[in-house]
Amino acid sequence: MFSKRLSSIVLALGALRIANAAPPRRVACADGVHFASNAACCALFPIVDVLESDFFDGGECGEEVHESLRLTFHDAIGFSPSQGGGGADGSIIVFEDIETAFHANGGIDEIVDAQKAFIAKHNITISPGDFIQLAGAVGVSNCPGAPRLDFFLGRPQPKAASPDLLVPEPFDSVTKILARFRDAGFNTNEVVALLASHSIAAADLVDPTIPGTPFDSTPGVFDSQFFIETLLKGTSFPGTAGNEGEVMSPLRGEMRLQSDAELARDPRTACEWQSFVNNHAKMQSEFKAAMLKLSLVGQNQRQLIDCSEVIPVPRPVTNSPHLPASKTPRDVERSCAFSPFPALTADPGPATSVAPVPPS
């Protein structure tokens, strides 16, 4: 009897392992081309296609990508357990007149208007919160070296505008920035991970006289140059140009935000910052995890549908971490007290100028 019972248990466990190992059932979409693990995701494939062809200029990692990624953050960080806000709910689109007037959201009205026009033109019916996060994830997929971001579908319509003063500003202190993120549910390392977004970013209004100024020398590539170049010795605060929140980079044509410069050197964040310099896999995985968390701020993940499979797979990065031409290890302001700065070689040749990101 004991042997029969034991055999039954073994067989049952074996069947359970086989069931758990089986791939998820996939359904054929009505277009006859795509398959999805959930039929609700099928409606996203044509949206992704037209985003790539019409909104992102055939798959470029350009201005629309940079601004769409910025919008995911500005919409989602508008959340506080004590002050309110719906997080990643699309309120910045629905209540545009209120939220784009916030000082921290300066310039965001252009991408809000562009996305609203795109939604109307293509009769897109997913919620504004879903569209913002979908456009951000699809856009990032056009940047070589980026991780394939996750996307969840089903955010409800926003109920109200976000309160003001929840979006960190480039002139805020490190203490203030970390406290704001902590209030929204992010730890210190996640803050640094989210700043990998500045690897594919540029500033238009920090200094309006030089729009499209990138934060590193490779704004079309998701790589660690941002984390390297922010540590180069440069001018002192508050910046040569005198603009609030700006610190001029020692590289011609490049901008450094005061908040980035301080986070790169603060004892609470410096070692995590440096850890991304020569560890691209870590930079990818931690940015991906932090972006998923950001995209779900204020949302109940259990009520959403995982449609990550609709996001295209980014091309791999081809360049290696390096110092800009004419720079040496002596130009690096080493700020991590617990680990030496990685050994990097410099690009050959004389110093060059970083080109601005062309407008859309």
Side-chain angles (χ1 to χ4, degrees):
M1 179 181 290
F2 178 78
S3 297
K4 287 183 179 179
R5 186 173 300 168
L6 181 60
S7 297
S8 297
I9 293 173
V10 170
L11 288 171
L13 287 173
L16 179 62
R17 290 193 186 98
I18 292 171
N20 288 340
R25 181 178 298 177
R26 294 170 64 80
V27 298
C29 297
D31 61 9
V33 176
H34 297 102
F35 291 83
S37 55
N38 189 300
C41 302
C42 289
L44 299 177
F45 286 109
I47 300 176
V48 171
D49 288 344
V50 76
L51 271 170
E52 290 283 60
S53 63
D54 291 7
F55 201 74
F56 296 130
D57 297 325
E60 291 293 322
C61 182
E63 176 71 3
E64 293 83 359
V65 168
H66 301 166
E67 291 302 309
S68 292
L69 178 56
R70 182 184 179 216
L71 187 59
T72 65
F73 172 74
H74 281 250
D75 184 51
I77 202 64
F79 168 84
S80 169
S82 59
Q83 300 179 60
D89 64 350
S91 65
I92 201 166
I93 281 182
V94 175
F95 302 99
E96 176 188 8
D97 291 345
I98 297 174
E99 293 195 33
T100 61
F102 299 162
H103 184 270
N105 288 338
I108 208 79
D109 56 310
E110 292 185 7
I111 188 62
V112 167
D113 289 343
Q115 289 196 5
K116 285 177 66 175
F118 184 88
I119 290 169
K121 177 181 178 180
H122 296 281
N123 195 29
I124 293 171
T125 57
I126 63 175
S127 72
D130 282 346
F131 183 81
I132 288 174
Q133 298 302 324
L134 178 66
V138 173
V140 168
S141 75
N142 293 323
C143 303
R148 186 188 194 189
L149 298 183
D150 297 301
F151 173 73
F152 281 74
L153 175 71
R155 293 166 185 78
Q157 292 287 328
K159 297 178 180 178
S162 167
D164 197 1
L165 305 179
L166 295 183
V167 181
E169 303 237 38
F171 52 79
D172 289 342
S173 69
V174 171
T175 296
K176 184 175 181 180
I177 290 171
L178 295 181
R180 170 76 276 272
F181 273 97
R182 186 165 54 250
D183 180 52
F186 293 86
N187 63 39
T188 300
N189 286 353
E190 289 169 333
V191 174
V192 178
L194 285 172
L195 285 170
S197 61
H198 284 185
S199 172
I200 46 174
D204 286 330
L205 294 182
V206 175
D207 186 341
T209 67
I210 47 174
T213 304
F215 298 139
D216 77 354
S217 57
T218 55
V221 181
F222 185 88
D223 60 12
S224 63
Q225 288 308 120
F226 165 72
F227 291 99
I228 297 168
E229 293 164 19
T230 309
L231 283 170
L232 294 176
K233 296 174 184 177
T235 55
S236 300
F237 305 138
T240 304
N243 290 289
E244 192 176 39
E246 177 190 2
V247 179
M248 296 303 293
S249 169
L251 299 183
R252 186 182 300 275
E254 184 176 296
M255 180 183 292
R256 179 181 299 172
L257 296 181
Q258 177 179 323
S259 54
D260 288 344
E262 293 184 349
L263 283 159
R265 292 160 176 79
D266 190 277
R268 291 165 288 185
T269 48
C271 289
E272 184 68 9
W273 191 282
Q274 181 179 289
S275 73
F276 291 141
V277 165
N278 64 343
N279 192 337
H280 188 74
K282 179 184 178 184
M283 180 180 167
Q284 285 181 315
S285 63
E286 297 203 12
F287 178 68
K288 178 184 174 104
M291 282 298 296
L292 173 59
K293 187 171 182 177
L294 181 75
S295 74
L296 297 173
V297 170
Q299 306 300 314
N300 185 342
Q301 185 175 352
R302 291 189 297 269
Q303 296 178 359
L304 304 180
I305 300 168
D306 187 353
C307 292
S308 302
E309 62 205 320
V310 308
I311 306 301
V313 178
R315 301 185 301 279
V317 68
T318 56
N319 57 301
S320 301
H322 59 273
L323 294 171
S326 81
K327 299 299 180 183
T328 73
R330 292 190 298 274
D331 293 306
V332 177
E333 193 163 7
R334 305 180 186 199
S335 304
C336 175
F338 305 106
S339 178
F341 192 81
L344 301 176
T345 58
D347 272 357
T352 58
S353 179
V354 181
V357 176
S360 56

